[in-house]
C-alpha cells in the first residue's frame, strides 16, 4: 500500500502536475487555494484523485470570504489578492467541494490508522508549529493514530513519538524551506519517504503575472516561488 501525502498545493497547477509518483491512495492535507493563480485545475485533480482531503486555513478563508487588509503586505497581501481571483476561477461544483472539506479526518488504510489535520490537533486550521518535538508531543496527547499527517508550515517534518509518527510532507505549491522544488511524501508499507520534484516555475509565474494582480503582489509571489520561501525584501 503506497500512500501519497500532499499539502499546501496553493493553486499551483504546474507544481502539482509535476508529481508523477504512482500511488494506491492519496491524502490531501489542505490549502488547495490562494497564493497561486490556477485554483480550478488543482481542485479538479484533488477531487478526482484524493482518497481523503481536509480543509486548510486558506480553503476556509476563501469559502467564508475572510477579510484581510489589502495593505497587509507579504503573504497576507498575497492571500488577500488571490482570494477573489481564485473564487472567480471556481464553478459551483468546485466551490461546493471546498466548502464540504472536513476540518479533520481519521481513517484506516493498509492496517494503519491515519489522522489528517492541516495545522495541529489543538487548532486544526491556524496554529503554526514547526520543528518543536515538545510542542508536538503535547498536541498529540489523546490522538490515537499510527500516522498524524499535517501541513500548514510549508516545511517538511518527521517526528516519532512512541508508536505515532508525525509527518509534514512540505508544500507542493509554495515551499518555504529554501528549496523551490515541489515537496511531497510517500508512506509505503509503513515506511515514510520525503521527495522533491522540479517543476515549471516559469509557467506558474506566468499564470500569476497574467492574472491581473498588481505588480508588487505579483513580484512577491514570483520571488517566493523562485526562492523557495519568503523574499528578504519587497521592492
Ligand atoms: Fe498553506
Amino acid at each position: 500500500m503506497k500512500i501519497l501525502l500532499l499539502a499546501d498545493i496553493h493553486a499551483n497547477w504546474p507544481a502539482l502536475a509535476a508529481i508523477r509518483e504512482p500511488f494506491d491512495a492519496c491524502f490531501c492535507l489542505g490549502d488547495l487555494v490562494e497564493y497561486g493563480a490556477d485554483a480550478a485545475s488543482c481542485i479538479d485533480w484533488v477531487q478526482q484523485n484524493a482518497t481523503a482531503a481536509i480543509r486548510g486555513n486558506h480553503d476556509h478563508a476563501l469559502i467564508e470570504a475572510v477579510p484581510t487588509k489589502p495593505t497587509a503586505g507579504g503573504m497576507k497581501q498575497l492571500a488577500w489578492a488571490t482570494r477573489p481571483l481564485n473564487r472567480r476561477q471556481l464553478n459551483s461544483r468546485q466551490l461546493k467541494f471546498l466548502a464540504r472539506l472536513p476540518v479533520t479526518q481519521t481513517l484506516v488504510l493498509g492496517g494503519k490508522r491515519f489522522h489528517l489535520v492541516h495545522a495541529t490537533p489543538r487548532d486544526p486550521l491556524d496554529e503554526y508549529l514547526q520543528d518543536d518535538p515538545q510542542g508536538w508531543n503535547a498536541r498529540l496527547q489523546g490522538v490515537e493514530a499510527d500516522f498524524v499527517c499535517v501541513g500548514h508550515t510549508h516545511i517538511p517534518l518527521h517526528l516519532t513519538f512512541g508508536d505515532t509518527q508525525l509527518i509534514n510532507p512540505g508544500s507542493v505549491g509554495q515551499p518555504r524551506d529554501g528549496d523551490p522544488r515541489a515537496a511531497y511524501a510517500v508512506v509505503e508499507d509503513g515506511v515514510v519517504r520525503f521527495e522533491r520534484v522540479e517543476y515549471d516555475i516559469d509557467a506558474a509565474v506566468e499564470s500569476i503575472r497574467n492574472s491581473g494582480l498588481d505588480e508588487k503582489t505579483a513580484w512577491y509571489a514570483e520571488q517566493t516561488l523562485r526562492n523557495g520561501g519568503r523574499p528578504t525584501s519587497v521592492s
Side-chain angles (χ1 to χ4, degrees):
M1 170 65 72
K2 188 172 174 181
I3 301 167
L4 180 64
L5 301 182
L6 304 178
D8 298 281
I9 295 165
H10 282 296
N12 187 338
W13 172 245
L16 179 57
I19 297 175
R20 300 294 174 87
E21 184 93 37
F23 56 86
D24 300 307
C26 171
F27 298 157
C28 179
L29 304 169
D31 276 6
L32 280 70
V33 296
E34 299 194 347
Y35 297 153
D38 293 304
S41 307
C42 294
I43 290 178
D44 284 349
W45 190 95
V46 171
Q47 191 167 19
Q48 287 160 19
N49 293 283
T51 312
I54 55 164
R55 174 183 300 232
N57 54 308
H58 288 273
D59 309 315
H60 185 79
L62 185 145
I63 285 299
E64 300 297 334
V66 172
T68 308
K69 286 181 186 169
T71 54
M75 289 294 174
K76 282 195 167 68
Q77 171 98 19
L78 185 54
W80 173 84
T82 52
R83 191 164 301 153
L85 168 72
N86 283 176
R87 202 181 169 96
R88 282 196 304 275
Q89 294 171 333
L90 302 180
N91 61 31
S92 59
R93 173 185 55 78
Q94 292 156 337
L95 286 169
K96 201 176 285 182
F97 178 75
L98 267 193
R100 288 178 175 173
L101 288 175
V103 172
T104 64
Q105 200 167 346
T106 301
L107 60 167
V108 177
L109 220 55
K112 300 292 183 186
R113 191 175 176 86
F114 292 81
H115 182 74
L116 316 182
V117 61
H118 182 63
T120 76
R122 181 184 293 180
D123 180 352
L125 290 179
D126 291 312
E127 187 177 29
Y128 198 86
L129 193 61
Q130 288 189 292
D131 189 1
D132 175 358
Q134 212 176 344
W136 277 111
N137 192 36
R139 281 153 184 84
L140 295 182
Q141 298 302 312
V143 178
E144 298 287 329
D146 298 295
F147 297 96
V148 176
C149 305
V150 302
H152 195 45
T153 65
H154 297 207
I155 295 172
L157 181 65
H158 188 197
L159 297 172
T160 301
F161 303 94
D163 294 331
T164 300
Q165 295 182 57
L166 173 81
I167 308 170
N168 185 331
S171 172
V172 172
Q174 196 203 63
R176 293 182 192 164
D177 60 353
D179 182 343
R181 296 175 298 169
Y184 65 94
V186 173
V187 181
E188 188 165 14
D189 300 327
V191 177
V192 183
R193 164 162 67 84
F194 290 83
E195 296 288 350
R196 304 301 282 253
V197 62
E198 288 192 14
Y199 73 95
D200 191 347
I201 294 179
D202 289 342
V205 167
E206 191 180 343
S207 187
I208 289 167
R209 290 271 176 202
N210 290 338
S211 70
L213 292 188
D214 67 274
E215 170 54 30
K216 189 175 169 183
T217 306
W219 179 91
Y220 187 89
E222 175 175 357
Q223 294 305 310
T224 302
L225 293 181
R226 294 200 187 283
N227 296 336
R230 295 161 194 253
T232 49
S233 65
V234 177
S235 72

